[in-house]
Amino acid sequence: MRSVIDILDLTVEEIDALIATACAIIENPDDYAEACKRKKLATLFFEPSTRTRLSFEAAMMELGGNVISMASASSSSAAKGESVADTAKVISCYADIIAMRHPKEGAALVAANNASIPVINAGDGGHCHPTQTLADLLTIYREKGRLNDLTVGFCGDLKFGRTVHSLINALSRYTGIKIVLISPEELKLPSYVKKDVLQKKNIPYVQTTSLEEAMPDLDILYMTRVQQERFFNEEDYLRLKDSYILDLKKLENAKPDLSILHPLPRVNEISVAVDDDPRACYFKQVLYGKYMRMALILKLLKEASE
Ligand code: NCD
């Protein structure tokens, strides 16, 4: 059974096809309004989420399908000690596809190995978040008209930010990509991502602590929140949380056609004054996330029925 746990589970050609489907849905939503009639999506979220869960649910509803969901992790059988493997087997009896978020790295893979229906990873701990990456790629594609020949800056919590890890993996398969890693010393990109992705694929990258210095070169600036829930120590979080705050002043040296992305939720990293700047793309990115999830649900349900 085909599941999507990591962005690399999809080939570049499949991502191109998902982008084409998402663009077709944007053009003609009515053509897709009954595409998943009588199908059920189960959203299993063992970790807080607003947009990812609602985005999956809205996506399924706009495809004419239904959604079943548990109110919260603490009200599910996980609180009684049920394993992820058993939960996946049980939900396979009720639904046609699962979207799952879990605080443990690898949990979605365990679910996929035990479910008899497709599983989509909606975030597993600090590991990866492939559907956010699909949203990011559609945003870049719609803004820039391409996914190659781009200098992409990642700023903030590059250590724990799973959306960063997934997007770097995805971009590593395109040509002419340069990466600028902007973070405090303590929140640098994990060395396994540097070694296994950037160095292995010969992607030019630089590491810096200065957003101001990096700014003039960037085509894309991907801002991120410091991931409070993955810190062991509150003091460290408080010291690092406001390391970078993007404001209009810092944008003075940016390219006029820079695209600013953020997976959201924003805490303090982008001043609200930036929201009205035409370079701010993060709310469009939310909408694109819904269309890419529609495209992915359609693809996986179609493959499952073949
Ligand atoms: C991201 C996540 O959950 O990793 N949020 C999201 O799904 N849009 C980013 C974050 O929580 O900072």
Side-chain angles (χ1 to χ4, degrees), residues 72-200:
S72 71
S74 55
S75 66
S76 78
S77 288
K80 298 182 190 168
E82 185 170 58
S83 67
V84 167
D86 282 5
T87 303
K89 286 183 185 146
V90 169
I91 301 300
S92 298
C93 303
Y94 302 144
D96 301 284
I97 186 164
I98 292 172
M100 185 173 121
R101 169 170 290 189
H102 200 285
K104 284 212 183 103
E105 288 79 4
L109 182 62
V110 172
N113 288 341
N114 287 279
S116 54
I117 57 176
V119 175
I120 303 174
N121 181 8
D124 60 332
H127 183 219
C128 54
H129 193 350
T131 61
Q132 180 61 48
T133 302
L134 294 176
D136 304 339
L137 292 173
L138 180 61
T139 309
I140 296 172
Y141 179 76
R142 301 274 292 192
E143 291 300 311
K144 296 275 177 248
R146 64 181 194 279
L147 291 170
N148 45 20
D149 298 320
L150 293 166
T151 299
V152 185
F154 290 88
C155 178
D157 186 347
L158 311 189
K159 179 176 180 189
F160 296 117
R162 56 193 171 193
T163 63
V164 171
H165 307 160
S166 286
L167 184 54
I168 288 179
N169 258 297
L171 290 172
S172 74
R173 299 190 293 185
Y174 297 89
T175 55
I177 298 292
K178 290 186 194 147
I179 304 278
V180 183
L181 302 167
I182 309 150
S183 76
E185 272 305 309
E186 292 97 322
L187 297 179
K188 278 162 113 175
L189 191 73
S191 52
Y192 81 87
V193 185
K194 267 182 267 176
K195 272 200 208 101
D196 298 348
V197 188
L198 297 176
Q199 290 164 11
K200 198 162 160 190

Side-chain angles (χ1 to χ4, degrees), residues 51-52 101 129 132 162-163 225 227 229 262-265:
R51 85 218 73 245
T52 305
R101 169 170 290 189
H129 193 350
Q132 180 61 48
R162 56 193 171 193
T163 63
R225 167 181 77 89
Q227 305 278 298
E229 64 275 39
H262 189 309
L264 303 182

